[in-house]
Amino acid sequence: MIDFEIQPDIRKIFPDISVGILTGMISNSSHSPDLWKLIAEVSLEINATYTFESIREIQPIQDGKTAYRALGKDPNRYRVSSEALMRRIVKGQSLYQIHTLVDVLNLVSIQTGITIGGFDLEKIQFPVKLSIGSENEEFDAIGRGALNIHRLPVYRDLIGAIGSPTSDCTRTMMRLETVNFLMIITGFYGDSYLQACLDLLKTHLSTFAQGKNFTDKIEK
Protein backbone atom coordinates (compact mmCIF):
# COMPACT_ATOMS: atom_id res chain seq x y z
CA MET A 1 0.00 0.00 0.00
CA ILE A 2 1.10 3.57 -0.54
CA ASP A 3 3.18 5.55 1.95
CA PHE A 4 0.83 8.20 3.33
CA GLU A 5 0.98 10.63 6.27
CA ILE A 6 -1.39 13.15 7.87
CA GLN A 7 0.71 16.07 9.10
CA PRO A 8 0.41 17.71 12.57
CA ASP A 9 -0.63 21.14 11.25
CA ILE A 10 -3.92 19.88 9.84
CA ARG A 11 -4.49 17.23 12.52
CA LYS A 12 -4.32 19.99 15.14
CA ILE A 13 -7.34 21.67 13.56
CA PHE A 14 -9.17 18.42 12.76
CA PRO A 15 -8.32 15.86 15.47
CA ASP A 16 -10.66 13.22 13.97
CA ILE A 17 -9.47 13.65 10.38
CA SER A 18 -9.48 10.44 8.35
CA VAL A 19 -8.47 9.71 4.77
CA GLY A 20 -9.80 6.97 2.51
CA ILE A 21 -7.25 5.63 0.04
CA LEU A 22 -7.89 3.41 -2.99
CA THR A 23 -5.47 2.05 -5.58
CA GLY A 24 -6.00 -0.38 -8.42
CA MET A 25 -5.62 -1.15 -12.10
CA ILE A 26 -8.14 -0.30 -14.82
CA SER A 27 -8.60 -0.54 -18.56
CA ASN A 28 -9.51 3.02 -19.45
CA SER A 29 -11.58 4.17 -22.42
CA SER A 30 -12.55 7.48 -23.96
CA HIS A 31 -16.27 6.80 -23.50
CA SER A 32 -18.54 4.21 -21.89
CA PRO A 33 -22.15 4.37 -23.14
CA ASP A 34 -23.46 2.33 -20.20
CA LEU A 35 -21.68 4.59 -17.72
CA TRP A 36 -23.11 7.71 -19.33
CA LYS A 37 -26.59 6.21 -19.30
CA LEU A 38 -26.23 5.88 -15.51
CA ILE A 39 -24.74 9.37 -15.17
CA ALA A 40 -27.73 10.77 -17.08
CA GLU A 41 -30.17 8.95 -14.77
CA VAL A 42 -28.44 10.15 -11.62
CA SER A 43 -28.20 13.70 -12.99
CA LEU A 44 -31.94 13.81 -13.72
CA GLU A 45 -32.69 12.69 -10.17
CA ILE A 46 -30.35 15.30 -8.68
CA ASN A 47 -31.83 18.05 -10.83
CA ALA A 48 -35.34 17.09 -9.71
CA THR A 49 -34.43 16.72 -6.03
CA TYR A 50 -31.92 19.41 -5.05
CA THR A 51 -31.56 23.16 -5.02
CA PHE A 52 -28.37 25.19 -4.51
CA GLU A 53 -29.40 25.58 -0.89
CA SER A 54 -30.14 21.92 -0.19
CA ILE A 55 -26.89 20.76 -1.78
CA ARG A 56 -25.10 22.53 1.06
CA GLU A 57 -26.90 20.31 3.58
CA ILE A 58 -25.45 17.05 2.20
CA GLN A 59 -23.19 15.90 5.02
CA PRO A 60 -19.84 15.53 3.18
CA ILE A 61 -20.37 18.88 1.46
CA GLN A 62 -21.39 20.52 4.71
CA ASP A 63 -18.28 19.05 6.36
CA GLY A 64 -16.07 20.42 3.60
CA LYS A 65 -17.52 23.91 3.87
CA THR A 66 -17.18 23.88 7.66
CA ALA A 67 -13.58 22.71 7.35
CA TYR A 68 -12.71 25.45 4.86
CA ARG A 69 -14.10 28.07 7.22
CA ALA A 70 -12.01 26.59 10.04
CA LEU A 71 -8.94 27.03 7.83
CA GLY A 72 -9.87 30.62 7.00
CA LYS A 73 -10.88 29.89 3.40
CA ASP A 74 -14.14 31.10 1.83
CA PRO A 75 -16.04 27.88 0.93
CA ASN A 76 -18.26 29.74 -1.54
CA ARG A 77 -15.25 30.97 -3.49
CA TYR A 78 -13.24 27.77 -3.15
CA ARG A 79 -15.91 25.10 -3.38
CA VAL A 80 -15.23 21.44 -2.74
CA SER A 81 -15.43 19.70 -6.10
CA SER A 82 -18.50 17.59 -5.27
CA GLU A 83 -20.53 20.74 -4.58
CA ALA A 84 -19.31 22.30 -7.83
CA LEU A 85 -20.38 19.20 -9.80
CA MET A 86 -23.81 19.04 -8.19
CA ARG A 87 -24.41 22.77 -8.65
CA ARG A 88 -23.62 22.30 -12.34
CA ILE A 89 -26.33 19.64 -12.58
CA VAL A 90 -28.89 21.77 -10.70
CA LYS A 91 -28.19 24.55 -13.22
CA GLY A 92 -29.32 22.11 -15.93
CA GLN A 93 -25.84 21.52 -17.31
CA SER A 94 -24.36 18.08 -17.94
CA LEU A 95 -21.10 16.86 -16.48
CA TYR A 96 -18.01 17.20 -18.62
CA GLN A 97 -17.11 13.98 -20.43
CA ILE A 98 -13.39 13.36 -19.85
CA HIS A 99 -12.64 9.63 -19.98
CA THR A 100 -14.08 6.64 -18.16
CA LEU A 101 -11.78 6.78 -15.12
CA VAL A 102 -12.57 10.43 -14.37
CA ASP A 103 -16.21 9.95 -15.34
CA VAL A 104 -16.59 7.16 -12.75
CA LEU A 105 -14.99 9.38 -10.10
CA ASN A 106 -17.41 12.18 -10.94
CA LEU A 107 -20.39 9.80 -10.87
CA VAL A 108 -19.54 8.58 -7.37
CA SER A 109 -18.98 12.17 -6.27
CA ILE A 110 -22.47 13.26 -7.33
CA GLN A 111 -24.04 10.07 -5.94
CA THR A 112 -22.51 10.63 -2.50
CA GLY A 113 -21.64 14.33 -2.25
CA ILE A 114 -18.08 13.26 -1.44
CA THR A 115 -15.08 14.98 -2.99
CA ILE A 116 -12.61 12.49 -4.45
CA GLY A 117 -9.04 13.19 -5.56
CA GLY A 118 -7.89 11.14 -8.53
CA PHE A 119 -4.28 10.62 -9.59
CA ASP A 120 -2.11 8.61 -11.97
CA LEU A 121 -0.19 6.40 -9.55
CA GLU A 122 2.85 6.28 -11.84
CA LYS A 123 3.21 10.08 -11.76
CA ILE A 124 3.49 10.32 -7.96
CA GLN A 125 6.74 10.39 -5.99
CA PHE A 126 5.93 8.93 -2.57
CA PRO A 127 5.33 9.53 0.28
CA VAL A 128 2.10 11.52 -0.01
CA LYS A 129 1.39 13.89 2.88
CA LEU A 130 -1.75 15.84 3.79
CA SER A 131 -1.20 19.27 5.30
CA ILE A 132 -2.19 22.93 4.83
CA GLY A 133 -1.31 24.92 1.72
CA SER A 134 1.42 27.52 2.00
CA GLU A 135 1.39 31.12 0.82
CA ASN A 136 2.47 31.52 -2.82
CA GLU A 137 2.69 27.73 -3.25
CA GLU A 138 2.49 26.80 -6.94
CA PHE A 139 -0.51 24.77 -8.06
CA ASP A 140 -1.65 24.24 -11.66
CA ALA A 141 -5.28 23.14 -11.25
CA ILE A 142 -6.96 21.00 -13.87
CA GLY A 143 -9.08 23.21 -16.12
CA ARG A 144 -8.46 26.28 -13.95
CA GLY A 145 -4.79 27.16 -14.20
CA ALA A 146 -3.04 28.74 -11.22
CA LEU A 147 -5.03 28.18 -8.01
CA ASN A 148 -4.39 29.87 -4.67
CA ILE A 149 -4.07 26.89 -2.31
CA HIS A 150 -2.92 28.94 0.69
CA ARG A 151 -4.85 27.60 3.72
CA LEU A 152 -6.52 24.85 1.68
CA PRO A 153 -6.07 21.18 2.66
CA VAL A 154 -3.35 19.99 0.29
CA TYR A 155 -1.93 16.60 -0.67
CA ARG A 156 1.76 16.67 -1.63
CA ASP A 157 4.31 14.18 -2.91
CA LEU A 158 8.08 14.66 -2.92
CA ILE A 159 7.86 17.08 -5.84
CA GLY A 160 5.02 19.28 -4.62
CA ALA A 161 1.27 19.68 -4.34
CA ILE A 162 -0.84 17.14 -6.22
CA GLY A 163 -4.37 17.93 -5.10
CA SER A 164 -6.91 19.49 -2.77
CA PRO A 165 -10.64 18.98 -2.23
CA THR A 166 -11.20 21.91 -4.61
CA SER A 167 -9.10 20.66 -7.52
CA ASP A 168 -6.31 18.26 -8.47
CA CYS A 169 -3.20 19.38 -10.33
CA THR A 170 -2.22 18.69 -13.92
CA ARG A 171 1.12 17.01 -13.12
CA THR A 172 -0.38 13.89 -11.57
CA MET A 173 -3.86 13.90 -13.10
CA MET A 174 -5.53 10.76 -14.43
CA ARG A 175 -5.23 10.48 -18.20
CA LEU A 176 -6.69 8.26 -20.89
CA GLU A 177 -3.50 6.18 -20.80
CA THR A 178 -3.61 5.76 -17.01
CA VAL A 179 -3.54 2.13 -15.89
CA ASN A 180 -2.67 2.35 -12.18
CA PHE A 181 -4.62 4.94 -10.22
CA LEU A 182 -4.78 6.46 -6.76
CA MET A 183 -7.97 7.95 -5.32
CA ILE A 184 -8.16 9.84 -2.02
CA ILE A 185 -11.15 10.94 0.09
CA THR A 186 -10.88 13.39 2.98
CA GLY A 187 -13.06 12.95 6.06
CA PHE A 188 -12.39 16.08 8.10
CA TYR A 189 -14.61 15.00 10.99
CA GLY A 190 -14.19 11.23 10.95
CA ASP A 191 -14.54 8.21 8.72
CA SER A 192 -18.31 7.64 8.81
CA TYR A 193 -18.88 7.72 5.04
CA LEU A 194 -15.43 6.83 3.69
CA GLN A 195 -15.67 3.05 3.36
CA ALA A 196 -19.05 3.15 1.60
CA CYS A 197 -17.56 5.57 -0.95
CA LEU A 198 -14.50 3.37 -1.48
CA ASP A 199 -16.76 0.37 -2.04
CA LEU A 200 -18.92 2.24 -4.56
CA LEU A 201 -15.82 3.33 -6.45
CA LYS A 202 -14.65 -0.29 -6.65
CA THR A 203 -18.05 -1.43 -7.88
CA HIS A 204 -18.24 1.15 -10.68
CA LEU A 205 -14.59 0.76 -11.67
CA SER A 206 -15.09 -3.01 -11.95
CA THR A 207 -18.27 -2.56 -14.01
CA PHE A 208 -17.17 0.18 -16.38
CA ALA A 209 -13.34 0.00 -16.48
CA GLN A 210 -12.46 -3.65 -15.77
CA GLY A 211 -11.01 -2.59 -12.44
CA LYS A 212 -8.93 -5.13 -10.53
CA ASN A 213 -6.17 -5.52 -7.91
CA PHE A 214 -7.85 -3.02 -5.61
CA THR A 215 -6.31 -2.11 -2.28
CA ASP A 216 -8.05 0.27 0.10
CA LYS A 217 -7.53 1.55 3.60
CA ILE A 218 -8.62 4.34 5.91
CA GLU A 219 -5.78 6.35 7.38
CA LYS A 220 -6.38 8.04 10.74
Side-chain angles (χ1 to χ4, degrees):
M1 195 57 189
I2 69 166
D3 186 2
F4 180 86
E5 301 173 18
I6 300 173
Q7 297 299 285
D9 62 343
I10 197 164
R11 193 183 292 280
K12 181 178 180 180
I13 299 173
F14 308 106
D16 297 324
I17 193 166
S18 302
V19 177
I21 301 168
L22 175 67
T23 62
M25 296 179 63
I26 51 91
S27 178
N28 207 3
S29 60
S30 58
H31 179 73
S32 168
D34 289 340
L35 171 60
W36 274 90
K37 180 180 178 181
L38 179 55
I39 289 173
E41 292 171 356
V42 173
S43 297
L44 281 173
E45 183 176 355
I46 290 170
N47 184 264
T49 304
Y50 288 98
T51 64
F52 293 145
E53 290 73 24
S54 61
I55 287 171
R56 299 172 187 167
E57 299 173 4
I58 298 171
Q59 193 62 55
I61 292 175
Q62 188 178 95
D63 286 352
K65 296 175 84 68
T66 301
Y68 274 32
R69 290 189 186 97
L71 290 164
K73 209 72 170 179
D74 181 354
N76 296 317
R77 182 178 180 186
Y78 297 90
R79 298 186 190 278
V80 293
S81 61
S82 55
E83 182 186 14
L85 291 172
M86 294 186 74
R87 284 174 62 88
R88 181 176 178 84
I89 293 170
V90 169
K91 287 178 184 176
Q93 301 172 331
S94 61
L95 296 184
Y96 294 108
Q97 180 184 311
I98 310 300
H99 51 71
T100 297
L101 185 54
V102 169
D103 298 340
V104 163
L105 183 155
N106 287 341
L107 169 61
V108 174
S109 193
I110 64 173
Q111 285 182 303
T112 63
I114 296 171
T115 293
I116 306 163
F119 312 95
D120 187 321
L121 191 65
E122 305 302 323
K123 304 291 185 182
I124 295 175
Q125 300 294 315
F126 291 98
V128 170
K129 300 181 181 182
L130 171 61
S131 59
I132 300 172
S134 303
E135 193 170 4
N136 299 320
E137 186 171 6
E138 293 185 4
F139 191 91
D140 184 22
I142 299 170
R144 301 174 61 142
L147 176 68
N148 175 15
I149 58 172
H150 182 222
R151 301 302 300 176
L152 283 181
V154 173
Y155 292 92
R156 299 183 184 87
D157 68 359
L158 286 177
I159 297 175
I162 63 172
S164 78
T166 293
S167 179
D168 296 328
C169 84
T170 56
R171 174 172 63 87
T172 53
M173 71 181 185
M174 301 186 299
R175 296 170 169 82
L176 180 58
E177 62 269 22
T178 296
V179 173
N180 298 289
F181 70 86
L182 165 68
M183 294 185 183
I184 299 177
I185 310 163
T186 310
F188 293 102
Y189 301 102
D191 64 352
S192 59
Y193 43 73
L194 298 187
Q195 190 60 56
C197 184
L198 294 172
D199 291 342
L200 187 57
L201 282 167
K202 288 185 286 186
T203 295
H204 286 338
L205 289 167
S206 297
T207 301
F208 300 112
Q210 301 175 45
K212 61 182 181 180
N213 297 343
F214 296 123
T215 60
D216 66 82
K217 71 172 181 176
I218 294 176
E219 189 80 27
K220 299 182 181 181

